[in-house]
Amino acid sequence: MTLSWSQSTLGGSQGAARFQAAMNKAFGTNIHINFLPGPDMARVVNQVATEFSAGQKAHVDIVLGAARRSPRW
């Protein structure tokens, strides 16, 4: 599994290693995470959207993104 986010998000490569260990422990799997340091979330999401629109394979398997919450009126 390839994951990509910036080194300043979710602990960067060390965070990805923690996700891998926790996931494999919780589910009894032996999944390997390939961490690809990348730009901030907005840029990664935009790149995946562009790849999708062009009918190309995404460069990552999972995208993490955050959305701002609008105030409730």
Side-chain angles (χ1 to χ4, degrees):
M1 172 185 315
T2 300
L3 303 177
S4 180
W5 55 75
S6 73
Q7 284 289 5
S8 63
T9 302
L10 300 173
S13 56
Q14 292 176 345
R18 288 194 299 271
F19 281 121
Q20 176 180 295
M23 183 172 51
N24 286 329
K25 181 179 179 183
F27 300 107
T29 56
N30 189 26
I31 294 171
H32 174 75
I33 290 178
N34 177 40
F35 178 72
L36 177 64
D40 60 62
M41 287 182 193
R43 289 185 185 180
V44 173
V45 169
N46 191 36
Q47 182 176 349
V48 170
T50 300
E51 292 164 344
F52 176 78
S53 294
Q56 298 174 347
K57 183 180 184 302
H59 73 287
V60 293
D61 297 313
I62 297 173
V63 175
L64 300 174
R68 293 183 181 177
R69 290 181 60 172
S70 298
R72 294 184 183 200
W73 301 100

